[in-house]
Amino acid sequence: MSHSTVPRSRAEAKTSAKTPVASGGAAGSREKRGSGKVSFRLRFRRDRTLILMTLPAVLLLLLFNYIPILGNVVAFQDYDPYAGDNGFVAMLHSPWIGFEQFQRIFQDSAFWHAVQNTFVLFFLQLLLFFPVPILLALLINTVVRPRVRAVAQAVMYLPHFFSWVLVVTVFQQIFGGAGVIAQTLRQHGHTGFDVMTNPHVFKYLVTVQMVWKDAGWGIIVFLAALASVSNDLYEAAAMDGAGRRRRMWHITLPALRPVIALLLVLRVGDALTVGFEQLLLQRQAVGPDASDVLDTYVWWNGIRNQDFSYAAAAGLIKGLVGLTLVLVANKVAHVMGEQGVYKK
């Protein structure tokens, strides 16, 4: 046996033993490997650990998000929850009425008023709330001392873990008729005020509450995007004479642009959900005209009155509109050159 045919190591011997002799099937498998295609069986064996790790989350998603979608069938029925021993049997025995529930909704002026309030709050939150986490992330990113940065992040994150009951209580103690500001003004001979019961400024109050509660939590995504930017880019720009503003405009903001586009698309898709618990807690103080949105409308006119078909029809309309907004916003992101939620 010649020296060239002897394997130089055990690993090489195993490799040569596993390599098939030149044939039609072997050539085809080599072509598949060369083209980068991997069979489903090999991919499953390779990724089975990751699949097992994500399986519980997938099951929970199916159980609580996708299977309940089948319940939307009651929007086309006169659903009676007492028509059977359980909800599924009741759906089978409830009579079909077609689009009658949707006609009731479209003829209800309160529904269109709730839609108007929903979009007004959405645009206010988009203009006043969405830029705040970006600005705070840029501000924190400029802090040089790590300890100061960590303390600032912790202080900003903290309100996110407060319940809406606590948030509304804090604002009531500050801006209410018996709050700190009103009492201080009265002690100095001025007339007090009560922002919490003023329906004209309620939409701005709701937006400020959301900014205070969730802006710090939104910083996490933008700080993660900023952490991926190489310092070599800033150093090269500084050597070329670029100041702090030009470095932010030409390096920092382009790095944040894909994340901003993605979160903006998701935010537009969630346009019709503007805070059910937050508005429901303050509904009695300002009245339904100022506080009713689609979620509270579904609660008061459908679920609370046990008119489940009516509530399902209103929720189905909300879901279809939200899906349409996601598709349109994602298309706009593609036109702007960004990936969005999914690729082209």
Side-chain angles (χ1 to χ4, degrees), residues 54-329:
T54 57
L55 188 60
V58 173
L59 293 177
L60 289 176
L61 191 66
L62 290 174
L63 183 62
F64 293 103
N65 290 85
Y66 286 96
I67 294 179
I69 293 178
L70 301 175
N72 285 323
V73 69
V74 303
F76 305 94
Q77 296 177 326
D78 186 9
Y79 178 70
D80 183 9
Y82 306 104
D85 296 333
N86 53 64
F88 180 74
V89 176
M91 283 193 295
L92 296 178
H93 290 85
S94 298
W96 290 86
I97 59 175
F99 294 92
E100 182 177 330
Q101 301 292 351
F102 296 92
Q103 293 176 358
R104 287 177 55 196
I105 292 174
F106 291 142
Q107 294 173 359
D108 190 0
S109 60
F111 169 77
W112 295 109
H113 184 72
V115 171
Q116 179 182 353
N117 285 345
T118 302
F119 278 102
V120 168
L121 286 176
F122 163 69
F123 283 115
L124 277 176
Q125 293 177 7
L126 189 65
L127 295 175
L128 302 179
F129 169 70
F130 189 77
V132 172
I134 303 174
L135 298 176
L136 291 178
L138 294 175
L139 181 62
I140 293 178
N141 193 57
T142 59
V143 178
V144 178
R145 295 184 179 181
R147 183 172 296 181
V148 177
R149 182 184 302 180
V151 172
Q153 292 179 14
V155 172
M156 293 179 185
Y157 295 163
L158 185 61
H160 174 77
F161 301 99
F162 295 164
S163 66
W164 277 115
V165 176
L166 180 58
V167 172
V168 173
T169 302
V170 170
F171 274 76
Q172 178 67 38
Q173 295 298 321
I174 297 176
F175 300 103
V180 175
I181 298 178
Q183 291 182 5
T184 303
L185 291 175
R186 293 191 189 99
Q187 291 175 359
H188 291 80
H190 300 285
T191 304
F193 64 91
D194 188 1
V195 178
M196 303 297 295
T197 58
N198 189 345
H200 301 291
V201 299
F202 179 71
K203 52 183 176 291
Y204 302 103
L205 174 66
V206 171
T207 305
V208 172
Q209 290 173 350
M210 182 167 290
V211 169
W212 184 72
K213 184 177 188 296
D214 289 330
W217 183 258
I219 298 175
I220 297 176
V221 179
F222 297 107
L223 286 178
L226 291 174
S228 63
V229 181
S230 176
N231 290 327
D232 296 339
L233 296 176
Y234 292 105
E235 294 175 0
M239 292 179 63
D240 291 337
R244 179 175 297 180
R245 292 183 180 179
R246 294 186 65 86
R247 292 198 299 268
M248 180 179 297
W249 181 260
H250 293 286
I251 299 177
T252 306
L253 292 181
L256 292 178
R257 183 176 173 179
V259 180
I260 293 174
L262 174 61
L263 295 182
L264 187 59
V265 171
L266 296 177
R267 184 62 186 167
V268 170
D270 207 25
L272 303 184
T273 303
V274 288
F276 170 74
E277 183 181 358
Q278 177 190 11
L279 298 172
L280 192 64
L281 288 170
Q282 303 175 85
R283 186 177 189 269
Q284 187 175 359
V286 296
D289 291 339
S291 62
D292 264 356
V293 293
L294 278 176
D295 286 341
T296 57
Y297 174 84
V298 170
W299 166 256
W300 287 103
N301 296 278
I303 298 176
R304 188 171 180 269
N305 297 329
Q306 295 189 355
D307 192 352
F308 299 108
S309 296
Y310 191 84
L316 187 58
I317 294 172
K318 173 188 171 183
L320 292 175
V321 174
L323 177 61
T324 304
L325 291 175
V326 167
L327 295 177
V328 172

